[in-house]
Amino acid sequence: MPDRSVVVITGASAGVGRATAKAFAENGFNVALLARGQAGLEAASKDVTDAGARALSIRTDVSQFVEVDAAATKVEEELGPIDVWVNNAMTTVFAPSWDTKPTDFQRAVEVTFLGQVWGTQAALARMRSRDRGNIVNVGSALAFVGIPLQGAYCSSKFACRGFFESTRAELLHEGSHVHLTMVHLPAVNTPQFDWCETTLDRHPQPVAPIYQPEVPAKYILQAALDGRRSKTLGSWNKMLVFTDTLFPGFGNQYAALAAWDGQLTDQPLQNDRPSNLHEPADAERDFGAHGIFDSRAGGFMDPSFLRTLPGTAGVFAQALGRTVAEKRRLTATKRRARAARTRS
């Protein structure tokens, strides 16, 4: 077998990480798979080897720097120097912030945010001395606009974006040829909705438009190869982020109107539903890359989303109207306050 580049992918046993591992294997990389679930890791390793690449699976809790750093050492000993590191691992809690247990909130932040920090630090400890390598941190549209029921996840992704900006500036300052990239994902059909911790009585779902995990996997691979600064996936997400920039507070209004019930199906939550927050859900059962929403997920022009576009546009317009009204109320309050100070 010819020499191949080496990629490390965290959260590689399912979902976007699983699809990304396959994409890299098919494009000339040997793949190190980091995750907690043994069954998921074994199946992901088979995906990689079936694509003609070498696979190295390492059970790793990314919230623990010691485990991440040890995994990096093992990768370089067995596969060779790390060329690309993809920080993808995440977990979340579907619940209002006031119903989220402190220990659950902490765990979600430690995996989703600190997991990216530890992965980046482990990669940089090896890449900076060689002055080469690409690190791809997986972000989200929710790193720009927070939505209800996902306070722990949104907080983590906002923090990930801040860490990315700071660390990238440091690399630029020292003239490093190590590239740091962030790819912001849309809603994706992954098993996280089957196993995320939740306090609610209905099964969680991604907010349309929903994409298959192979879509972000393609762009994560592309970002690793071209070293771009960042990429936000999905025209709808780009529009939402842009509108919130033009009209601060719009994202809050839109999320309040659309994102609570939009994240919940009509299906009651099953009592025997697994949770992967504190323990891996795929330790004994492989969940694969896809979740249960295959019929509603697709590429960038998903027909199921196009059918919902009129209703979505209506909510968009309503949220924009509320934002403008809120701005007007604030302006009127400021004017009254200035007038009162003038009279006094």
Side-chain angles (χ1 to χ4, degrees):
M1 179 184 295
D3 290 339
R4 284 173 168 255
S5 299
V6 174
V7 60
V8 177
I9 301 171
T10 71
S13 65
V16 171
R18 178 75 165 268
T20 301
K22 185 176 180 181
F24 273 90
E26 291 172 343
N27 283 270
F29 285 80
N30 289 328
V31 185
L33 307 132
L34 275 56
R36 295 173 299 158
Q38 186 61 38
L41 279 172
E42 290 174 358
S45 293
K46 186 176 185 303
D47 288 348
V48 170
T49 56
D50 285 349
R54 286 185 62 192
L56 175 64
S57 62
I58 307 172
R59 291 187 62 188
T60 309
D61 183 341
V62 298
S63 73
Q64 303 299 312
F65 174 76
V66 171
E67 293 190 28
V68 176
D69 193 56
T73 297
K74 185 174 182 180
V75 172
E76 298 220 324
E77 289 173 348
E78 298 196 21
L79 295 183
I82 298 166
D83 299 286
V84 176
W85 186 294
V86 178
N87 285 307
N88 164 76
M90 57 77 62
T91 189
T92 188
V93 183
F94 267 73
S97 58
W98 49 80
D99 286 339
T100 306
K101 296 178 182 177
T103 53
D104 289 350
F105 198 108
Q106 179 177 340
R107 174 64 179 169
V109 171
E110 287 174 345
V111 172
T112 308
F113 170 50
L114 289 181
Q116 283 205 7
V117 176
W118 305 151
T120 301
Q121 289 188 345
L124 288 176
R126 291 151 179 87
M127 292 178 177
R128 284 180 61 239
S129 61
R130 297 191 287 259
D131 199 29
R132 63 180 177 85
N134 285 354
I135 302 169
V136 183
N137 287 348
V138 176
S140 170
L142 303 186
F144 300 89
V145 177
I147 62 174
L149 306 182
Q150 295 231 47
Y153 181 77
C154 293
S155 300
S156 299
K157 289 301 184 182
F158 269 78
C160 287
R161 187 161 65 94
F163 172 72
F164 160 77
E165 298 285 358
S166 180
T167 306
R168 188 171 186 275
E170 291 165 353
L171 290 170
L172 290 171
H173 172 76
E174 72 173 17
S176 176
H177 290 95
V178 177
H179 297 284
L180 185 59
T181 299
M182 199 159 196
V183 178
H184 296 289
L185 271 53
V188 186
N189 173 37
T190 72
Q192 73 149 309
F193 302 95
D194 299 327
W195 65 27
C196 65
E197 184 71 22
T198 180
T199 65
L200 304 168
D201 59 3
R202 287 188 283 162
H203 195 290
Q205 66 178 358
V207 180
I210 307 169
Y211 302 104
Q212 295 289 28
E214 289 76 16
V215 174
K218 169 186 173 182
Y219 286 94
I220 291 168
L221 171 66
Q222 186 180 92
L225 295 177
D226 64 24
R228 69 182 63 196
R229 177 186 175 276
S230 66
K231 174 76 174 177
T232 299
L233 304 185
S235 298
W236 174 249
N237 293 304
K238 291 177 183 177
M239 182 173 67
L240 192 62
V241 171
F242 178 70
T243 305
D244 190 60
T245 302
L246 288 179
F247 302 96
F250 166 80
N252 297 145
Q253 296 288 358
Y254 182 84
L257 289 167
W260 189 295
D261 286 335
Q263 292 185 88
L264 300 172
T265 67
D266 294 331
Q267 176 184 340
L269 203 69
Q270 300 298 312
N271 292 330
D272 58 350
R273 181 177 178 276
S275 169
N276 85 324
L277 184 62
H278 296 283
E279 299 294 334
D282 58 349
E284 299 180 356
R285 169 192 167 193
D286 173 39
F287 282 75
H290 290 212
I292 63 174
F293 302 101
D294 279 331
S295 64
R296 296 171 49 198
F300 283 129
M301 293 301 290
D302 178 22
S304 65
F305 172 62
L306 295 178
R307 288 195 296 270
T308 67
L309 192 56
T312 303
V315 176
F316 189 95
Q318 187 179 356
L320 192 57
R322 287 189 175 191
T323 305
V324 172
E326 185 178 29
K327 176 66 174 177
R328 287 174 175 170
R329 285 195 297 271
L330 179 60
T331 300
T333 299
K334 288 180 177 178
R335 286 174 179 169
R336 288 195 295 271
R338 284 198 298 267
R341 287 196 298 270
T342 301
R343 288 195 299 269
S344 64

